[in-house]
Amino acid sequence: MAQRDRYVFVYNKTKETFLAFRVKIADSIFSRLIGLLGRRSLQPDSGVWICPANAIHTIGMLFSFDLVLIDKDFKVVGVRELVRPFKITRPNFRAESVLELPSHSILRSRTEVGDQLVIERYEAKKCPQAHSRSPAGFESGVKSAGREQEADDHVGGPSSPRFAHAQPSFCPKGSGRFTVSAPG
């Protein structure tokens, strides 16, 4: 039975910048073995989160990428920029997992050793359309002052993404040390 791909976003809490918005979780033996093999490049704002891992190889890779090594508390314990194909990185024994990101992601986000990362699952959920009146007497989704669907324009609107929180620990599956769960 094929497993559905799962994705997370990665936010640098220390620098208040995003590293990537669509990072695929590689936590099974097969997905960790494959990683980025077979791809010609990484899409901007994407990546792969390999866990558990404290080193990687790029044998068979076709492009360079950035590598962020993180510990069990999502603190950056190592960064490697522009890791080239056909290399093997040295293990960092403080690292519990690694993020493979597009080239220059570390530079753009200003990520350094010691930064605190937030890794959370991204889920887009639809909110039910409310047809009741708001306390101010306006109906949601009605044109108001020349703006269509004013209720949807703000962050909490029906078309906005919702985030499920990850429990700070390590990997989403397999080891049992990291769990991704919906709030509530």
Side-chain angles (χ1 to χ4, degrees), residues 8 10 18-24 36 39-49 61 63-68 79-84 98-111:
V8 294
V10 182
F18 281 94
L19 274 82
F21 292 105
R22 192 165 169 83
V23 177
K24 183 178 177 182
L36 293 174
R39 295 189 190 183
R40 293 186 180 270
S41 66
L42 264 174
Q43 297 295 323
D45 294 325
S46 68
V48 176
W49 181 24
M61 300 284 293
F63 58 94
S64 298
F65 60 90
D66 286 356
L67 185 69
V68 178
V79 294
R80 308 235 168 85
E81 296 182 80
L82 299 172
V83 178
R84 294 186 317 221
V98 299
L99 290 165
E100 296 177 344
L101 302 168
S103 297
H104 308 294
S105 294
I106 293 172
L107 179 67
R108 276 196 310 272
S109 65
R110 303 181 327 266
T111 300

Side-chain angles (χ1 to χ4, degrees), residues 139-155:
E139 291 187 40
S140 63
V142 175
K143 291 183 183 179
S144 173
R147 295 178 65 194
E148 293 181 5
Q149 296 189 355
E150 189 173 55
D152 290 352
D153 290 343
H154 68 284
V155 174

Side-chain angles (χ1 to χ4, degrees), residues 48-116:
V48 176
W49 181 24
I50 301 176
C51 53
N54 62 9
I56 55 114
H57 73 85
T58 60
I59 297 168
M61 300 284 293
L62 302 172
F63 58 94
S64 298
F65 60 90
D66 286 356
L67 185 69
V68 178
L69 296 103
I70 55 178
D71 69 6
K72 62 181 176 148
D73 298 318
F74 302 139
K75 187 166 272 199
V76 177
V77 295
V79 294
R80 308 235 168 85
E81 296 182 80
L82 299 172
V83 178
R84 294 186 317 221
F86 297 98
K87 300 290 180 191
I88 299 173
T89 64
R90 288 188 174 157
N92 182 328
F93 295 108
R94 294 181 297 159
E96 296 279 344
S97 61
V98 299
L99 290 165
E100 296 177 344
L101 302 168
S103 297
H104 308 294
S105 294
I106 293 172
L107 179 67
R108 276 196 310 272
S109 65
R110 303 181 327 266
T111 300
E112 304 176 310
V113 172
D115 287 356
Q116 182 65 49

Side-chain angles (χ1 to χ4, degrees), residues 3-11 18 20-25 27 49 74 99 117-125 160-173 178-184:
Q3 181 180 343
R4 201 176 102 211
D5 290 340
R6 294 171 297 142
Y7 295 92
V8 294
F9 68 89
V10 182
Y11 177 73
F18 281 94
F21 292 105
R22 192 165 169 83
V23 177
K24 183 178 177 182
I25 300 171
D27 57 352
W49 181 24
F74 302 139
L99 290 165
L117 301 183
V118 175
I119 299 176
E120 294 185 2
R121 186 173 63 189
Y122 175 80
E123 282 188 9
K125 294 183 180 177
S160 69
R162 301 286 186 222
F163 300 102
H165 297 284
Q167 302 298 321
S169 192
F170 168 51
C171 282
K173 182 186 147 214
F178 179 90
T179 58
V180 178
S181 60

